[in-house]
Each structure stands twice: as C-alpha cells, then as structure tokens.
Amino acid sequence: MEVFVQQLINGLTLGSIYGLIAIGYTMVFGIIGMVNFAHGDVFMLSAFIALIFFMLISAWLGAGLIVLSLFFVLILAMFFTSLWNWTIERVAYRPLRGSFRLAPLISAIGMSIFLMNFVQVVQGPRNKPTPPMLNKSILLIDSATYPVSISYKQIIIIVSTVVLLAAFWFIVQKTSLGRAQRACEQDRKMASLLGIDVDRTISITFVMGAALAAVAGVMYLVLYGVVSFHDGFVPGVKAFTAAVLGGIGSLPGAVLGGLLIGLIEVMWSAYFTIDYKDVAAFCILAVVLVFMPSGILGRPEVEKV
Amino acid sequence: MAIDATTPAKRQADMMAALKEAAFAGLITLGLCIPIISWGTRQNIENQLVLDPRWDTVAWAVAIVFVGRFLMALRKQTRDPNKPAVRLLPHGTIGFFQRHSGLFSLFGLGFLIVFPIIAITLAGWGGALKWIDNFGVQILIYVMLGWGLNIVVGLAGLLDLGYVAFYAVGAYSYALLAKNFGLSFWILLPLSGILAAFWGMLLGFPVLRLRGDYLAIVTLAFGEIIRLVLVNWTDFSNGYAGISGIPRPTFFGIPFTAADNGFAAVFGLEFTPLYRTIFLYYVILSLALLTAFVSLRLRRLPVGRAWEALREDEIACRSLGINTTNTKLTAFSLGAMFGGFAGSFFAARQGFISPESFVFMESAIILAIVVLGGMGSLWGCAIAAIAMIGGTELLRELDFLKQVFGNDFDPTKYRMLIFGFAMVVIMIWKPRGLISTREPSAFLKEKKAISADMVQEGHG
Amino acid sequence: MSDAITLLKVEHLTMRFGGLTAVNDLSFEARTGEITALIGPNGAGKTTVFNCITGFYKPTEGRMALIHPLPDTDQLIADTTQRGVSSINRASVHLLERMPDFRIAWEAKIGRTFQNIRLFSGMTVLENLLVAQHNPLMIASGFTFLGVLGARSYKVREKQAIEKAKFWLEKINLIHRADDPAGDLPYGDQRRLEIARAMCTDPVLLCLDEPAAGLNPRESLELNTLLLSIRKDLGTALLLIEHDMSVVMEISDHVVVLDYGTKIADGTPKEIQADPKVIAAYLGVDDEEVAAVEAEVGL
C-alpha cells in the first residue's frame, strides 16, 4: 500500500511532464494534421535554456530565493523556447503547407536531427547537472518499512502544471484566439474565408505548444537535475504516446494520456523491472493504436467511401 | 547557375524595406542565440557546471543572418518576377536524363563495376581502402536499404519509420547463427532475409490496417521495441556490449587472412586487407543490384501494380477485388527481407554489432533517402544516398578547414547537424524529391512520364 | 424481360450509425439482364445501400444474397462429361453481409463505381484497367513467383489482359488516351473510365453510384448508350443510383424508391411516375427539385 501511494505520487509528477509535452503534439496534429517530430527536441532545448538561465539567475539572486528564481527561469524559458518554435514553424513547416503529406514529416524529422546536433555542438555532448536544489520533502505516511513522502520538487511540479493547464484551458475555450484555433481544426479553408488569419493561428499554436514544452523542460530539470542533448527523443515519443492514448486532437485527452503513461511507467518500474519500462511504453502505444486508434477521449473516425 | 547579373533591375531596389527585413531576421537570430549560444556550459575540475560567455559567436551569427537576409531581400526585389527562379540544372536536364535512363543505368553500372580499380589507380593500394570501404561499401549499403524501403514507402505508400528493425534482425541473425552454429555467410544471407521477412509479416499483420501517420508511429514503436529488447536481453544479445568476433565472409571457403591458406597465399598474391574490402564491395553491389532487379520486375507484375494502386486509392482497390491486407503484407515483408539481407551483410562486414547501430536515427536516414530521392524512383534513391551519405562522409575529409578555423575545429562534429539541415532544405526546395515523375508500368503506344502532381502518396 | 431471374435479393436490410437509421428494413430484388434504379431524395440512404451490398459497410441487420445464374443446362452436362467427374457443383450463392468487400468483388462478382470518382489518378488509363484484372493476372503470374522468373505463360496472359483493356477503351472511346494519366482526363471521360474499369472485373452485377452526375446532355446520352450496351452485349445486370430522371426513366426496367431509408415504391418506371407517394416524397424536398421531376416525367 505504501509503495503504491509513493509510486502514485511519483507517477503523477512524471505524468504531468508528459502531459505538458503531449499538448504540443496534440494541438499541432489537430490543426495541421502533422506529427511534429521535432517537438521532443524542442522540449530538450527548453531544458537547456532553463538550465543556463537558472545558473545566471540563481547566481544573481542567491541560493536562498530558489523558488523565485525558478519562476523567472520559467518565464524566460517559455519566451525563448516559443521563439524557437515560432522560427522552426516559419522556416521548416510553413513553406510546405498544402504540399505533399510526407514533406512536412520529413522536414520535421530533419529539424529534430538538426536541433539535437545543434545542442550537442553548442553545449557539448556531456550530461549537464544542475546544482542541487529543493531537496527537502514532506513525510506523508510515517511507516517503518516504507515511509511515503512528497518532495518540494514534486509539489512545485504538480501545482504549476495544474495552474498553467487551467490558464491554457481558459485561453483555448474562452478567447477568440481559441475559437480561431478550433475553427482551423475543423476546416482551414472555411476558416480563412471567414476572415481568420490561418497562418497566424498556426504560428500561435506552435508558440503555445512550445511554451508548455518549456514548462515541461523546466520541470524535467527540477525533477532530474540533469539534462543532455539526446534527452528529447524518448520523452518526446512517450508524450506522443500519451497524446495518442488520450485521443489525438483532444486537449484533456493529452493530459489524461500523459498522467496514464507516467503512472504506467513508474508502476512498471516499481513492480516489474526497470529495464523494460520503455518497452512497456512502446507496447502500449502499439496496442492502443491497433485496437483503439481514436484513443480514450478522441472522436472515432468513420471511413468515407 | 543561371543567374544573370547583367540584367538591369526592373524595379528600383527598396533599400529601406530590405534593411528592415534584415534587421528583423537579425533580431530573431539574436533571440534564438540567447541563451543557448551566448553561454556555453562546461564542467570545471570540481565537476561543477560553469558558464562561458560567447557573445562573439552570437555577433557572428547575427551578422551572417543580417547580411544574408539583406542580400536575399534585395535580390528578390530586383529579380524580374516573370523570370523563373534560380535553377541548379538547366531546363530539361531531368527529362533528358529520364529519356535516356537505360543508357545512364548502363554507364552507372559500368562505373560501379570498375570503381575499385579506379580507386586503386588513383589513390594507390594504401589509400584505396578508405575510398572503397567508406564510400563504396557504405553508400551501397544505404542505396540497398533505400531501395528496399522504397518498395514499402515509395511503391505501396506505407510509411515505415521502423525499417531499421529488420536491418537489426538480419544483422543479429547472421551474428548469432554464425557464431553459435558456425554456418557460412552464403547460407545465412538468405536465411537472415527470410527471418527478417517473417518478422515483417509478424509485425505487419496487426498494424497494416492503420493509416498514415499512425502506421508510421507504430512502426517506429516496433523498431524501438526490438532495439530495447536487444539492449536489455543480455543473455541473448549481450546487451549494449554487442557481439564481437563475428565470422567474416570467406571467398567460397578461402578466408581473407594472412595465413597460408588465406586468399592472398592461395592466389599467390601479396597479402593486403584490401582484397576482403573489394570482395565485400562486389557482394554488396550484387545485393543492391538484386534489390533493384526485383523491384523493377515486380513493378510490372500484378502485385507491383496493386501496390501502386493501393498508394493511389485503397478503397478503389477493394472494390476491384484486391485483398489489400495481403498486398500490403507482401510489400512490407519484401522490404523487410531486403533490409535483412543488408543487415547480415553489415554484420559480416563489421565483425561487430551492437544495438547502437540500429537506433531510430538510422530509420530516419533511410526514409529520408527514399523521400528525398523521389518516392518510387530507384535513380532518385541512389542519388539521394550518394549525396547524403557520401556528402557527410566527405566532411571527414575536409582537413583544410582546420587551417581556416583553427586546430580544434572538427568538421565531423557538424556531420549530423548539416544532415538534418539538408533534409529540411531539400524538402522545401523539392517536396516531392529529386526525381518525382512516375514511369508507367505498361503502355500501348508510348511511354510517357507522369508528373508528380497526379501521383498520390498513399494514406496508409 | 420474361426470362429474368433473381440475381440479388436484399431482405430486411437495416443500417444504423449510432442513433441514426440510414436504411430501414429495406427489401428488393435485382434480376438478371435488367437495369434496376435506386432513386430517392438526397439523404435517403441510397449510397448506404450500395456500401452494404459491396461490403464497405457491415449492415446492422438483414440478408443480402447474390445468386449466380446457372449456365445453360446442356453446357453444364457437357462440361461435367468433359472433365471426367461425376458431378460439378456450380450453383453458387453468396451471402454478402458475411463477406469482406474484396471477396464480394472477386467471388460474388459485383463491380461498383463511386459517387466521387476514385480512379488511380497517377496511373495511366491502361494501368487502371490492368489493376482491375488483378486477381486473374495474379494467378497467371503464379502469385508473382513465376512472373519474377519471366515465365512465358504469364506474358501470354498479360497480352490477353491488355487486349481486354483495349476492347473497353474502344468501347468508351478512350483508346487514344490509353497512355495518359487517368487524372488528366476530363470529368466525363473519367466517369466512363471508372465504369470500364469496374467492367474489367467481369461482374455479374454492376453498381453505379450516380454515373450521370456532372455530365452534360451529350455525355449523358453517351452514357445511356454505354449502359444499354453493357446490358445487351455482356448480359451484366445493372443497379444504379441516379438523380437524373431522364437517365432513370429512359433505361431502367425497374425502379426502387427510397425516402428516409425506407422503401416507398417499387415497380416499372411507368408505375413509379404515377405513384402519389413518390411525388409526395419529392414534393417534400423543395420546389426546385419537384419542378425538375415534374418536367422530366412529363406531368
């Protein structure tokens, strides 16, 4: 029981990160029907941006105000990652809009290779550890055999995920921007005929996806305290799995899928073997796609004859 | 290059607008450089991370983008809008090339056959090894993989992102069976192909009803699962450490060693490792040609036509009585089989394999070769493989750059960076690939190439 | 036609999508050598009926049987004698709701066209017709194995397939465009090519989904001639959905009228024209369409 509660906490923390990345996949897929392969690498890039800003700001503010410096890091990382994703969309995807289906996918794979190697070249191939931070935790269940605790890190991750998701949800559901986005999802041509600036809406979608990926990047850095240039691929694929599991195109689905993938991964590692945790994630992806391709919250697709 | 510099500017260049555009691009570049380029992270002696400011690099990047963008904007303004864009090749080159494709194929084949001799003549016995191995064999492996995947992606329109899994199946089949049972290369080569085809069928059966990107992702997942199993199941595959000491192929029983019964001794030649490399070169050349021959033949058979029809419109295929599942499965497993052949060759050539050789990036590179070449075109695949693999191999040779950028400049570091960037640029330049027209498989009077706008690329 | 026998027997066909009943308890028959028309206002469920018959949808309820007509009795006796066997089991009934779509096309021999044309646009006109002969060619190529080796028997069979394609290309006046991509043809030609492609599968029943849609009057006339010739020269029965009443009334032997998924009338074109229920169904739609119908049926 104690083990389960502890793993539940760990799983939700990890799941929040996957969920945040998954939203980027699901939004882009919803609006332009493309798997944004480079999204995992954008997430990795954001973790690097966060790492550098964290070092700069914590040196300036001092180690005492760690939560405040994290707040600044978050804002800055969101801004600069968004700028990157905006540029990527402009350079690598926009010229291919309305082109053949495979072209943007290949372009995105190229972008993913580029970003990964770019970070390797400019920041070096080694793992980059952060100075230790927020190592305290609160004891929840005081058990002699297996004490259950929640760390400050985990609290920060879960709380900020919930707050940011609420803000994001408000934007998508209640503002005209969100309406424009949903209109473009339904029918891009019609939306543009009704006066929606489709290119701008798509750009904003990429910016929003990147901002959430940056949140995930900061959280990842806080949680693991280390990042390297190849850390984008596996979390990226898992987040995509989450998006598919939740039903691609559905925002609550992406979050739900992220939490499920996080929980499954953590539980698998705790109860079975840690070696095969990625195999488990990929197997889930395959099984979900084969047996329920529309996911948990997605709309079923009817074949048009 | 067909830029005509003497053409008088039709419209007055708007300096201000160009400057504005360039300033905007420069500003964006500045933003992108912060903080990822402007501060480098480095571990000091106490293993703590420290930051090195690198504003000079940022300044260079911004300046290059500013000037580049400015010149581009100016050229765009002064160019006659009625004049077509810059062409790398004179008009009609590709058409000419395609009309005489038979002749060119003959030339290409002739060149490939005499390539080792040319290499030895030009680079000498010592220098030729690098050219035959790094360029000849390496590129031919990718050409073969590209042609194999071309059956799946180019003809049948099934997007496969896990092709490297079958390459791995082939390699491990050869490595394990050769080491444990001492079977020879020539028995194991077809066997590995059959095993890979079997895996193709096994994996293909449940997933081939999925469409488009979903199929791509499932195949990616399968590719990763196979790799992760190879990593984790150490009793079977020795995990990350890989399998070493894989028996090398022999010349019909005569090993390529310096021993008395070795190839050189038997034929009364002086021993050099080059003989094995040349032998391997001809093996992979014949394997690649086999792949090309089979895919060309199949295109003219009902099964090949059904693949292409499937790529065009699956529903129409079903209305004509074509069993689409079986048709897809044949394409998938046939592609897997060629991947398996290439894999067993790879294991035999290297003598050592580990899961590191079968990462997702390899699948991406092979797929990129197929798409960049123009889906369905064997020539396109070959050209793309030469450009992408040969081009990045060539970076290893650019030692003179060290004199320009200083001694710690290592061009190979930029290999994959340039590779990724080139993928994006080629896609934007030619979204349908280098050779995008389709050649009909049958004709009544005259064979006319079909333009890419007509050809569908498949939904599954 | 007096010697027409039942070819397709649809009984109690019902198709529901979630809460929507697209086809409700529909029963009708199509007979050999006849042209049966399925008409009804937009959204009446006609295409859904087609998709059920050709296996693209699995019906919620109902039975659809295709009965292949027996060949001439004397011929059958001669065949049995010649083969040196004591009996030949030739009678074949296909329950379509139990078969996947590709088997319906290949075994039950039902060909079809689509409302929005589905040609292989990147393949030439000739290739389109060769793909339609996939199954016999596949057998001739020894399931590819003999073909790869370049067997003569396959080459001979492929020549025959090209001859058959030529026959159809001449019939639809497209022989001069045989080597052009199908996507390059004008709309009317594409419609005819799709019919020819379906005919290359040697169907006993050809289902046409709005073959005259988008055709000009001259093309429409050509289509009538083509359809009548298919019935007369090849003995293929036709089942067609059509909005163009001039086509329906002119060529069909038997008309089934659907409205909101339910059959409201069934009979000869004459009977249908006079049926008050049919007129009401069309009246209920909109004035323009009623006027069009009235003009066409000569009321």
Side-chain angles (χ1 to χ4, degrees), chain B residues 144-145 148-149 163-164 166-171 192-193 196 333-345:
Chain B
M144 177 173 178
L145 286 169
L149 185 61
Y163 191 59
V164 80
F166 307 119
Y167 190 42
V169 169
S192 327
S333 51
L334 207 68
M337 186 177 83
F338 288 117
F341 285 157
S344 68
F345 174 81

Short mmCIF file of all heavy atoms in Angstrom, two decimals, chain B residues 144-145 148-149 163-164 166-171 192-193 196 333-345:
data_model
loop_
_atom_site.label_atom_id
_atom_site.label_comp_id
_atom_site.label_asym_id
_atom_site.label_seq_id
_atom_site.Cartn_x
_atom_site.Cartn_y
_atom_site.Cartn_z
N MET B 144 21.07 0.17 -51.01
CA MET B 144 20.27 -1.05 -50.94
C MET B 144 19.12 -0.90 -49.94
O MET B 144 17.98 -1.27 -50.23
CB MET B 144 21.16 -2.22 -50.54
CG MET B 144 20.34 -3.48 -50.40
SD MET B 144 21.36 -4.89 -50.14
CE MET B 144 20.06 -6.13 -49.97
N LEU B 145 19.43 -0.33 -48.78
CA LEU B 145 18.37 -0.12 -47.78
C LEU B 145 17.31 0.82 -48.36
O LEU B 145 16.11 0.60 -48.16
CB LEU B 145 18.97 0.48 -46.50
CG LEU B 145 19.77 -0.48 -45.64
CD1 LEU B 145 20.52 0.27 -44.56
CD2 LEU B 145 18.87 -1.52 -45.02
N GLY B 148 15.21 -1.07 -50.75
CA GLY B 148 14.33 -1.98 -50.03
C GLY B 148 13.14 -1.24 -49.43
O GLY B 148 11.99 -1.65 -49.57
N LEU B 149 13.43 -0.12 -48.78
CA LEU B 149 12.35 0.64 -48.16
C LEU B 149 11.47 1.30 -49.22
O LEU B 149 10.28 1.53 -49.00
CB LEU B 149 12.93 1.71 -47.23
CG LEU B 149 11.92 2.52 -46.43
CD1 LEU B 149 11.11 1.60 -45.52
CD2 LEU B 149 12.58 3.58 -45.59
N TYR B 163 12.13 0.79 -40.11
CA TYR B 163 12.75 -0.13 -41.05
C TYR B 163 14.02 -0.73 -40.48
O TYR B 163 14.38 -1.86 -40.77
CB TYR B 163 13.05 0.61 -42.35
CG TYR B 163 13.44 -0.27 -43.49
CD1 TYR B 163 12.59 -1.27 -43.95
CD2 TYR B 163 14.67 -0.12 -44.12
CE1 TYR B 163 12.94 -2.09 -44.99
CE2 TYR B 163 15.03 -0.93 -45.18
CZ TYR B 163 14.17 -1.92 -45.61
OH TYR B 163 14.52 -2.73 -46.64
N VAL B 164 14.71 0.04 -39.64
CA VAL B 164 15.99 -0.41 -39.11
C VAL B 164 15.83 -1.68 -38.27
O VAL B 164 16.77 -2.44 -38.10
CB VAL B 164 16.65 0.73 -38.30
CG1 VAL B 164 16.06 0.84 -36.93
CG2 VAL B 164 18.14 0.56 -38.24
N PHE B 166 14.35 -4.36 -39.14
CA PHE B 166 14.61 -5.54 -39.98
C PHE B 166 16.09 -5.64 -40.33
O PHE B 166 16.63 -6.74 -40.48
CB PHE B 166 13.73 -5.47 -41.22
CG PHE B 166 12.29 -5.29 -40.88
CD1 PHE B 166 11.59 -4.18 -41.31
CD2 PHE B 166 11.65 -6.19 -40.05
CE1 PHE B 166 10.27 -3.99 -40.94
CE2 PHE B 166 10.34 -6.02 -39.68
CZ PHE B 166 9.64 -4.92 -40.13
N TYR B 167 16.71 -4.51 -40.43
CA TYR B 167 18.15 -4.45 -40.60
C TYR B 167 18.81 -5.13 -39.39
O TYR B 167 19.71 -5.96 -39.52
CB TYR B 167 18.52 -2.97 -40.68
CG TYR B 167 19.93 -2.59 -41.08
CD1 TYR B 167 20.60 -3.23 -42.10
CD2 TYR B 167 20.57 -1.52 -40.44
CE1 TYR B 167 21.86 -2.82 -42.47
CE2 TYR B 167 21.83 -1.11 -40.80
CZ TYR B 167 22.48 -1.77 -41.82
OH TYR B 167 23.72 -1.37 -42.17
N ALA B 168 18.30 -4.81 -38.20
CA ALA B 168 18.81 -5.40 -36.97
C ALA B 168 18.55 -6.91 -36.93
O ALA B 168 19.42 -7.69 -36.55
CB ALA B 168 18.18 -4.73 -35.76
N VAL B 169 17.33 -7.31 -37.34
CA VAL B 169 17.02 -8.74 -37.34
C VAL B 169 18.01 -9.48 -38.23
O VAL B 169 18.57 -10.51 -37.85
CB VAL B 169 15.56 -8.98 -37.81
CG1 VAL B 169 15.32 -10.46 -38.09
CG2 VAL B 169 14.58 -8.49 -36.78
N GLY B 170 18.27 -8.93 -39.40
CA GLY B 170 19.22 -9.56 -40.31
C GLY B 170 20.61 -9.64 -39.70
O GLY B 170 21.26 -10.69 -39.74
N ALA B 171 21.05 -8.54 -39.09
CA ALA B 171 22.40 -8.49 -38.54
C ALA B 171 22.56 -9.47 -37.38
O ALA B 171 23.52 -10.24 -37.33
CB ALA B 171 22.72 -7.07 -38.08
N SER B 192 18.86 -15.00 -43.15
CA SER B 192 18.57 -13.77 -42.43
C SER B 192 17.48 -12.97 -43.13
O SER B 192 16.62 -12.37 -42.49
CB SER B 192 19.79 -12.87 -42.32
OG SER B 192 20.95 -13.59 -42.24
N GLY B 193 17.53 -13.00 -44.47
CA GLY B 193 16.48 -12.31 -45.23
C GLY B 193 15.13 -12.90 -44.94
O GLY B 193 14.15 -12.19 -44.70
N ALA B 196 13.98 -11.95 -41.48
CA ALA B 196 13.52 -10.57 -41.44
C ALA B 196 12.14 -10.45 -42.07
O ALA B 196 11.26 -9.76 -41.55
CB ALA B 196 14.52 -9.66 -42.13
N SER B 333 6.78 -7.25 -46.07
CA SER B 333 7.74 -8.30 -45.75
C SER B 333 8.85 -8.37 -46.79
O SER B 333 9.99 -8.71 -46.47
CB SER B 333 7.05 -9.65 -45.57
OG SER B 333 6.24 -9.91 -46.68
N LEU B 334 8.53 -8.01 -48.03
CA LEU B 334 9.58 -7.99 -49.05
C LEU B 334 10.60 -6.91 -48.72
O LEU B 334 11.82 -7.13 -48.82
CB LEU B 334 8.97 -7.74 -50.42
CG LEU B 334 9.77 -8.32 -51.56
CD1 LEU B 334 9.72 -9.82 -51.52
CD2 LEU B 334 9.25 -7.80 -52.88
N GLY B 335 10.10 -5.74 -48.34
CA GLY B 335 11.00 -4.67 -47.92
C GLY B 335 11.85 -5.12 -46.74
O GLY B 335 13.07 -4.92 -46.71
N ALA B 336 11.19 -5.82 -45.79
CA ALA B 336 11.91 -6.31 -44.62
C ALA B 336 12.99 -7.30 -45.04
O ALA B 336 14.10 -7.30 -44.49
CB ALA B 336 10.94 -6.98 -43.66
N MET B 337 12.68 -8.12 -46.04
CA MET B 337 13.65 -9.12 -46.47
C MET B 337 14.93 -8.45 -46.98
O MET B 337 16.04 -8.85 -46.60
CB MET B 337 13.05 -9.99 -47.57
CG MET B 337 13.94 -11.13 -47.97
SD MET B 337 13.15 -12.17 -49.20
CE MET B 337 13.52 -11.26 -50.68
N PHE B 338 14.77 -7.43 -47.80
CA PHE B 338 15.98 -6.75 -48.30
C PHE B 338 16.73 -6.07 -47.16
O PHE B 338 17.96 -6.03 -47.16
CB PHE B 338 15.62 -5.79 -49.42
CG PHE B 338 15.24 -6.49 -50.69
CD1 PHE B 338 13.98 -6.36 -51.23
CD2 PHE B 338 16.15 -7.33 -51.32
CE1 PHE B 338 13.63 -7.03 -52.39
CE2 PHE B 338 15.81 -8.01 -52.47
CZ PHE B 338 14.55 -7.86 -53.01
N GLY B 339 15.95 -5.54 -46.19
CA GLY B 339 16.60 -4.98 -45.00
C GLY B 339 17.41 -6.05 -44.28
O GLY B 339 18.52 -5.80 -43.82
N GLY B 340 16.86 -7.27 -44.23
CA GLY B 340 17.55 -8.38 -43.56
C GLY B 340 18.82 -8.76 -44.29
O GLY B 340 19.87 -8.98 -43.67
N PHE B 341 18.76 -8.80 -45.62
CA PHE B 341 19.97 -9.08 -46.41
C PHE B 341 21.05 -8.06 -46.06
O PHE B 341 22.20 -8.40 -45.78
CB PHE B 341 19.68 -8.96 -47.91
CG PHE B 341 18.92 -10.12 -48.49
CD1 PHE B 341 18.19 -9.96 -49.66
CD2 PHE B 341 18.94 -11.36 -47.88
CE1 PHE B 341 17.48 -11.01 -50.21
CE2 PHE B 341 18.23 -12.42 -48.43
CZ PHE B 341 17.50 -12.24 -49.58
N ALA B 342 20.64 -6.78 -46.11
CA ALA B 342 21.61 -5.71 -45.85
C ALA B 342 22.18 -5.85 -44.44
O ALA B 342 23.38 -5.65 -44.23
CB ALA B 342 20.96 -4.35 -46.05
N GLY B 343 21.30 -6.24 -43.50
CA GLY B 343 21.74 -6.38 -42.12
C GLY B 343 22.79 -7.46 -41.97
O GLY B 343 23.81 -7.27 -41.29
N SER B 344 22.55 -8.62 -42.61
CA SER B 344 23.52 -9.69 -42.43
C SER B 344 24.83 -9.32 -43.12
O SER B 344 25.92 -9.65 -42.63
CB SER B 344 22.97 -11.02 -42.95
OG SER B 344 22.84 -10.98 -44.33
N PHE B 345 24.74 -8.58 -44.21
CA PHE B 345 25.97 -8.11 -44.84
C PHE B 345 26.72 -7.17 -43.90
O PHE B 345 27.94 -7.26 -43.74
CB PHE B 345 25.67 -7.39 -46.16
CG PHE B 345 26.88 -6.76 -46.76
CD1 PHE B 345 27.78 -7.51 -47.50
CD2 PHE B 345 27.16 -5.42 -46.56
CE1 PHE B 345 28.92 -6.95 -48.03
CE2 PHE B 345 28.31 -4.84 -47.08
CZ PHE B 345 29.19 -5.60 -47.81
#
